[in-house]
């Protein structure tokens, strides 16, 4: 069990180092991102994200508000993502 | 006695609320089903303003060392109603029915009315999931938590010490998110009823323990807390957060009335597609630290004692899922490892260090439905160990 514990902790540390290096690569500024990019980057941070077709436009409207309030997304991100979901379903 | 009657009354009230919500929900469910079929025009928000979501799960447990070796231990069902009342007003409420410890329990997990004041400020009030760290608010829902169990100490249990707020509390919060260059920040500020100190008069074994689900305040002091989250990269892959919570915990007018509980937390969340390995990497972690003023309590023999009342709990979880490969079975498999530690105040009657290692596997049938199995190995504070195999079937809807 001790080995397992050290394994999980070492993996955690290694991943931390990796993530710093990896994420330093520049990606587009948030302002320039499309709704679909923002959706793929933000909506699977906590859970796997349902496809746009899973809900209709009206339902996405309500869910987007729920997620904006729950996860503190910025208004701009939330609006772009909602538009993408409603256009793509 | 008074306390008992009070909690009985409270429970009855919650049951009534649950019944009321269920009655309200069933026609809505039907209507929603019909709307799903008929509404697809762009911007039809005028038609559907509420959505019923939620989750359900069922647990099975194998304990090789126990007398009862196999057990269907728990089912849970949580209908959740989310309601966009206007473009600025939003209501959310979740009722949970479960069979915790062999009893049927009904709880209002949260019920919160939020008002979007402007781009940066949303104000909410009600029974709120305390934004202390991230676990309770973001990852605890069983269709989101990828292991069939919760990290040690991060789930609210009756008669167990809380190391920082876990679960929900009555109060008010102000929250929002904004950009800082290419990075993002978000904040939550809140005032709640706050901590309640167990003075040990009724349960000497729990003297000095703190409980945060204080639905009816035991003193005039309110807890103040905040969490600040920072997402340094513009692809939002990493979020680190820090939280504090200050609260006087003793009953009004008692000798403990000035006892202060200070809780701190740090959390991390990272997810990334590792393209060469065709794998999704996901890391979550949180540490809570609680410092309660020193005080004198009576043990079971009536002797006074005091102790250094500081405790911490933490977990780190790593998962890998080869979701980008072609094999349609393997891509649904996720491997998980989590290390948990609960280090309770050493000299308290409830104190000591317990650690647990969880190794698990999730098989995803859809984005929110899956089968989870895990092996958990625990080192208890008294030097004994325990092992359990857990199976959970869960769906989010």
């Amino acid at each position: 069990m001790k080995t397992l514990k050290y394994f999980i902790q070492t993996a955690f540390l290694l991943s931390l180092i990796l993530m710093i290096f990896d994420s330093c690569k520049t990606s587009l500024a948030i302002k320039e991102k499309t709704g679909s990019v923002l959706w793929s980057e933000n909506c699977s941070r906590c859970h796997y994200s349902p496809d746009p077709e899973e809900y209709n436009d009206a339902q996405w409207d309500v869910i987007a508000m729920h997620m904006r309030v729950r996860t503190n997304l910025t208004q701009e991100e939330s609006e772009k993502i909602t538009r993408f979901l409603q256009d793509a379903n | 006695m008074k306390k008992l009657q009070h909690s009985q009354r409270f429970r009855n009230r919650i049951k009534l609320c649950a019944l009321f919500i269920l009655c309200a929900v069933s026609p809505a469910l039907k209507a929603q089903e019909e709307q799903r079929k008929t509404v697809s025009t762009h911007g039809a928000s005028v038609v559907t303003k509420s959505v019923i979501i939620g989750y359900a799960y069922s647990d099975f447990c194998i304990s090789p060392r126990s007398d009862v070796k196999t057990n269907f231990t728990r089912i849970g069902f949580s209908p959740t109603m989310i309601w966009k009342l206007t473009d600025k007003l939003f209501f959310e409420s979740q009722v949970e029915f479960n069979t915790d410890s062999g009893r049927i329990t009904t709880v209002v997990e949260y019920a919160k009315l939020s008002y979007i004041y402007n781009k940066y400020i949303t104000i909410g009030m009600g029974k709120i999931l305390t934004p202390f760290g991230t676990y309770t608010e973001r990852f605890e829902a069983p269709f989101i938590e990828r292991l069939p169990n919760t990290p040690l100490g991060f789930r609210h249990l009756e008669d167990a010490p809380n190391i920082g707020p876990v679960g929900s509390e009555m109060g008010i919060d102000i929250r929002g998110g904004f950009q800082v260059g290419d990075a993002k920040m978000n904040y939550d500020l809140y005032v709640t009823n706050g901590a309640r100190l167990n003075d040990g008069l009724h349960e000497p074994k729990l003297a000095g323990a703190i409980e945060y689900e204080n639905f009816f305040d035991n003193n005039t002091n309110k807890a103040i807390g905040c969490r600040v989250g920072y997402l340094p990269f513009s692809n939002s892959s990493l979020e680190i957060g820090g939280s504090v919570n200050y609260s006087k915990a003793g009953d009004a007018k008692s000798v403990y009335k000035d006892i202060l509980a200070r809780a701190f937390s740090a959390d991390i969340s990272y997810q990334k597609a590792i393209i060469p390995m065709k794998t999704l990497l996901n890391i979550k972690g949180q540490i809570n630290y609680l410092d309660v003023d020193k005080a004198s309590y009576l043990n079971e023999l009536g002797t006074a004692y005091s102790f250094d009342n500081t405790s911490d709990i933490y977990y780190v979880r790593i998962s890998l899922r080869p979701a980008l490969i072609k094999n349609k079975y393997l891509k649904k498999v996720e491997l998980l490892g989590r290390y948990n530690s609960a280090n309770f105040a050493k000299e308290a009657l409830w104190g000591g260090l317990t650690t647990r290692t969880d190794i698990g596997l999730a098989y995803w049938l859809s984005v929110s439905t899956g089968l989870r199995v895990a092996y958990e190995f625990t080192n208890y504070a008294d030097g004994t160990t325990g092992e359990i195999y857990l199976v959970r079937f869960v769906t989010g809807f």
Side-chain angles (χ1 to χ4, degrees), chain A residues 12, chain B residues 130-139 151-154 163-166 227 241 243 264-269 283-289 312-317 339-341:
Chain A
F12 180 69
Chain B
T130 316
F132 180 80
T134 43
Y135 191 76
T136 305
E137 209 188 29
R138 300 182 178 184
F139 309 126
L152 204 56
F154 280 87
I163 310 307
V166 287
R227 174 181 181 275
S243 312
F264 305 92
S265 174
D267 58 78
I268 183 164
S269 162
I283 297 173
K284 302 279 178 268
Q286 183 175 331
I287 179 163
N288 289 7
Y289 173 82
D312 62 81
I313 52 174
Y314 75 86
Y315 81 90
V316 286
R317 192 197 76 190
Y339 184 72
N340 313 260
S341 158

Side-chain angles (χ1 to χ4, degrees), chain A:
Chain A
M1 258 318 118
K2 274 238 154 74
T3 345
L4 218 52
K5 167 187 160 180
Y6 291 131
F7 178 78
I8 294 177
Q9 286 177 343
T10 319
F12 180 69
L13 277 177
L14 273 178
S15 315
L16 277 181
I17 296 167
L18 261 176
M19 75 176 79
I20 305 293
F21 280 122
D22 185 59
S23 299
C24 286
K25 281 190 225 152
T26 44
S27 79
L28 275 180
I30 296 175
K31 278 210 163 64
E32 290 149 32
K33 291 185 180 184
T34 61
S36 114
V37 171
L38 288 170
W39 173 72
S40 69
E41 286 179 352
N42 284 284
C43 298
S44 31
R45 271 160 45 199
C46 303
H47 47 68
Y48 292 114
S49 193
D51 284 336
E53 307 89 69
E54 298 227 359
Y55 297 94
N56 64 37
D57 288 0
Q59 290 166 330
W60 275 128
D61 228 21
V62 183
I63 291 168
M65 195 160 182
H66 187 207
M67 287 300 112
R68 175 176 167 199
V69 172
R70 177 67 69 93
T71 72
N72 290 334
L73 286 172
T74 64
Q75 179 177 313
E76 195 181 358
E77 282 173 322
S78 177
E79 282 171 359
K80 277 190 182 173
I81 293 172
T82 315
R83 227 170 298 130
F84 158 72
L85 289 164
Q86 291 177 333
D87 285 346
N89 64 1

Side-chain angles (χ1 to χ4, degrees), chain B residues 45-59:
Chain B
S45 58
V46 279
V47 182
T48 300
K49 284 187 175 164
S50 68
V51 180
I52 308 291
I53 49 148
Y55 55 82
Y57 61 94
S58 164
D59 289 350

Side-chain angles (χ1 to χ4, degrees), chain B residues 8-22:
Chain B
Q8 185 64 38
R9 234 182 301 144
F10 186 71
R11 247 176 249 148
N12 284 344
R13 244 182 268 164
I14 287 189
K15 277 184 192 155
L16 260 174
C17 285
L19 210 72
F20 174 75
I21 290 174
L22 263 186

Side-chain angles (χ1 to χ4, degrees), chain B residues 375-394:
Chain B
Y375 167 70
E376 60 166 61
F377 184 88
T378 313
N379 283 300
Y380 292 103
D382 61 7
T384 58
T385 58
E387 55 178 344
I388 299 183
Y389 298 86
L390 298 161
V391 180
R392 169 173 284 176
F393 190 34
V394 60

Side-chain angles (χ1 to χ4, degrees), chain A residues 47-48, chain B residues 54-60 76 141-149 321 329 331-334 336 360-374 390-397:
Chain A
H47 47 68
Y48 292 114
Chain B
Y55 55 82
Y57 61 94
S58 164
D59 289 350
F60 178 67
F143 78 96
I144 296 177
E145 172 52 82
R146 295 164 195 201
L147 279 160
N149 54 2
R321 177 176 173 191
Y329 300 109
K331 71 195 295 179
K332 294 179 181 162
V333 175
E334 182 155 8
L336 297 122
L361 187 147
Y363 188 79
W364 292 94
L365 299 167
S366 78
V367 289
S368 56
T369 301
L371 189 69
R372 280 119 211 236
V373 288
L390 298 161
V391 180
R392 169 173 284 176
F393 190 34
V394 60
T395 185
F397 50 83

